[in-house]
Amino acid sequence: MRTTIFWFRSDLRLHDPRALLQAAQQADRLLLVYNHDPVQDEPTAWGFRRMGAHRRRFVADSLQDLIASLQALGQQLVLLHGPAHEALAECARRVQAQAIFCEDIAAPAEQAQVQALRASGFTVNTVWQSSLLEPEKLPFSVLDMPQVFTAFRQRIEAAGVLPLAPLAAPSLLPPPPELAPLNALPGWTDNPRALLQVDQTLGSDDRSNFPYHLPRCQGGETSALAHLQSYLTPPWPDRYKQTRNALQGRYTSTHWSPWLATGALSVRTIWAALQAYEQQHGANDGTYWLWFELLWRDNFRFLHLQHGRQLYAARGLSELARPSHFPKDFQRWCDGNTGEPIVDAGMRELASTGYTSNRMRQIVASYLVHDLACDWRSGAAWFESQLVDFDVYSNQGNWLYVSGRGTDPRQGRRFNPAKQTQDHDPQGRYQKVWLAR
């Protein structure tokens, strides 16, 4: 009787479950686990917790939705709290598991978790599944990938590389092993909100562009799939290229990112749904630009496979000097008290809701790096803490891009606040919303 553990990480779904299916194929008994590492609760080098209140709530709701879906298949999710290599190792010992399966995440901290488990003597099988395109199907080796995004995109499009079809959700999973040996595990709970220390006093903000407290934006696969179909309705995809830089609006952007970040929504499922939309309603600049943005997301993932830990160094991939840093200016930026109205509005929206538009993220990131001359890594860490849709690949890639320490040949993107205000908030409506209180 072979017992296998599947460790949910950033893949909190049952549709398109590549890693989960591989684990199930190797198991007579399948133990499903999610672990919250206490490093998320500890202060970072910049002085705040790695995982903030908004993301805790969204992930907890995602877990609750996953629990309900698993129960319908006769399975359950074991929730653990502790350093991953300790909590999972003890769990594996108690159920006498022969192997652990999980999603492959090519970021340093997540790689270290897997390495520590293997060092403890466990077989850990990692499965790459978060990108739209398969690394081995690219028209170049990942290690030889073009450094500039335009060249990356053009070579992929010229070669006609397309995604694989998403996998169907399982209708049956192997049963769990006897769970009695797990009852005394430190940190075991059946309550996702308790596991993630969700702030029960966290209120909703009716100004939010992504009101995750409402059912339509709630964490989890159920809301994710419903929202996907809601967005892929004329005229929203057709208008995407024209509306994507708007600072406010329910359908000005896709708002797929929170569910993509937790893995409650598969990017290949998005692609399949987008293809179906184009077949029914026709392709256009808007639908092409959705593909374009999904390729950017892939690019940031493949950069991690190519450069690894170097993406987290102070200089990034550049030859620039180590960045300066001014803690008081950084704090003013975090608090939305810089005195630059468009920046302060964006930072207050972020703190209040855990979300802000992609255009606003570029504006505030540029201001921190180029106007306040602060360390780009502090901004990346603040976004990690605050964003409900934090994605380790995209967050790191975008901050490197803005700071000029990534692969952008222009060596940095300064967004002039006055011009950005004129272009995107000329009547001051957005600023009025977020600076009024």
Side-chain angles (χ1 to χ4, degrees), residues 17 22 31 57 77 80 89-90 115 121 136-137 172 184 203 232 250 275 309 312 317 320 328 347 383 396 421 436:
Q22 289 194 25
L31 182 66
R57 164 73 181 273
L77 185 63
L80 300 176
E90 183 59 26
Q115 291 164 4
E136 63 273 14
K137 299 295 185 181
L172 183 68
L232 290 178
R250 179 173 176 180
Q275 290 295 99
R309 190 174 293 276
Y312 295 76
L317 304 180
L320 298 175
K328 291 182 179 179
M347 295 306 294
F383 271 27
Q396 205 70 12
T421 300

Side-chain angles (χ1 to χ4, degrees), residues 54 333 345-356 361 364 382-383 386-388 430 434:
H54 299 293
W333 178 82
M347 295 306 294
R348 292 182 194 184
E349 180 191 16
L350 175 61
S352 182
T353 70
Y355 190 86
T356 192
R361 295 180 199 198
V364 300
W382 183 246
F383 271 27
Q386 297 299 302
L387 284 173
V388 71
Y430 173 82
W434 293 105

Side-chain angles (χ1 to χ4, degrees), residues 273-335:
L274 181 60
Q275 290 295 99
Y277 178 91
E278 288 186 331
Q279 289 171 11
Q280 183 176 359
H281 303 288
N284 51 59
D285 282 351
T287 58
Y288 171 77
W289 217 257
L290 290 169
W291 152 261
F292 183 95
E293 298 291 0
L294 293 175
L295 274 187
W296 258 117
R297 180 178 180 273
D298 265 18
N299 182 257
F300 289 144
R301 279 160 164 69
F302 299 147
L303 281 176
H304 275 70
L305 293 176
Q306 187 179 46
H307 295 289
R309 190 174 293 276
Q310 187 61 32
L311 297 173
Y312 295 76
R315 292 185 175 88
L317 304 180
S318 76
E319 298 298 326
L320 298 175
R322 287 181 63 88
S324 57
H325 191 62
F326 303 94
K328 291 182 179 179
D329 289 337
F330 173 61
Q331 191 60 55
R332 290 193 298 113
W333 178 82
C334 293
D335 295 338

Side-chain angles (χ1 to χ4, degrees), residues 4-8 14 20 29-34 63-80 91 173-180 182-183 188-192:
T4 297
I5 290 177
F6 182 73
W7 172 21
F8 281 99
L14 291 183
L20 175 60
R29 294 286 183 267
L30 181 64
L31 182 66
L32 304 176
V33 172
Y34 179 85
L63 289 169
Q64 194 62 59
D65 185 74
L66 180 60
I67 287 169
S69 297
L70 290 172
Q71 286 175 342
L73 295 179
Q75 259 286 0
Q76 66 184 88
L77 185 63
V78 172
L79 303 176
L80 300 176
C91 189
L173 288 172
E178 173 58 51
L179 297 181
L182 300 177
N183 288 339
W188 187 19
T189 178
D190 59 0
N191 184 340

Side-chain angles (χ1 to χ4, degrees), residues 24 41 96 124 126 172 174 183 249 345 353 360 388 397 418:
D41 309 325
Q96 299 181 359
V124 183
T126 58
L172 183 68
N183 288 339
T353 70
M360 185 52 64
V388 71

Side-chain angles (χ1 to χ4, degrees), residues 238-301:
D238 308 331
R239 296 178 178 177
Y240 175 74
K241 188 177 181 182
Q242 286 71 44
T243 64
R244 63 194 174 90
N245 283 320
L247 305 185
Q248 300 178 97
R250 179 173 176 180
Y251 288 110
T252 54
S253 183
T254 67
H255 293 112
W256 292 333
S257 59
W259 292 294
L260 279 170
T262 56
L265 183 60
S266 157
V267 67
R268 295 193 302 178
T269 297
I270 290 176
W271 171 252
L274 181 60
Q275 290 295 99
Y277 178 91
E278 288 186 331
Q279 289 171 11
Q280 183 176 359
H281 303 288
N284 51 59
D285 282 351
T287 58
Y288 171 77
W289 217 257
L290 290 169
W291 152 261
F292 183 95
E293 298 291 0
L294 293 175
L295 274 187
W296 258 117
R297 180 178 180 273
D298 265 18
N299 182 257
F300 289 144
R301 279 160 164 69

Side-chain angles (χ1 to χ4, degrees), residues 3 28 32 59 85-86 109 124 127 129 142 184 216 225 249-250 273 282 290 312 329 379 382 389-390 392:
T3 298
D28 299 303
L32 304 176
V59 173
H85 68 284
E86 295 178 5
V124 183
V127 181
Q129 63 176 8
V142 168
R216 65 179 174 85
L225 293 174
R250 179 173 176 180
L290 290 169
Y312 295 76
D329 289 337
W382 183 246
D389 62 350
F390 167 72
V392 65

Side-chain angles (χ1 to χ4, degrees), residues 408-427:
D408 181 20
R410 281 177 276 188
Q411 293 189 341
R413 300 295 179 105
R414 181 182 183 270
F415 290 75
N416 183 289
K419 184 178 187 304
Q420 295 299 313
T421 300
Q422 183 59 41
D423 289 348
H424 303 294
D425 194 32
Q427 280 79 47

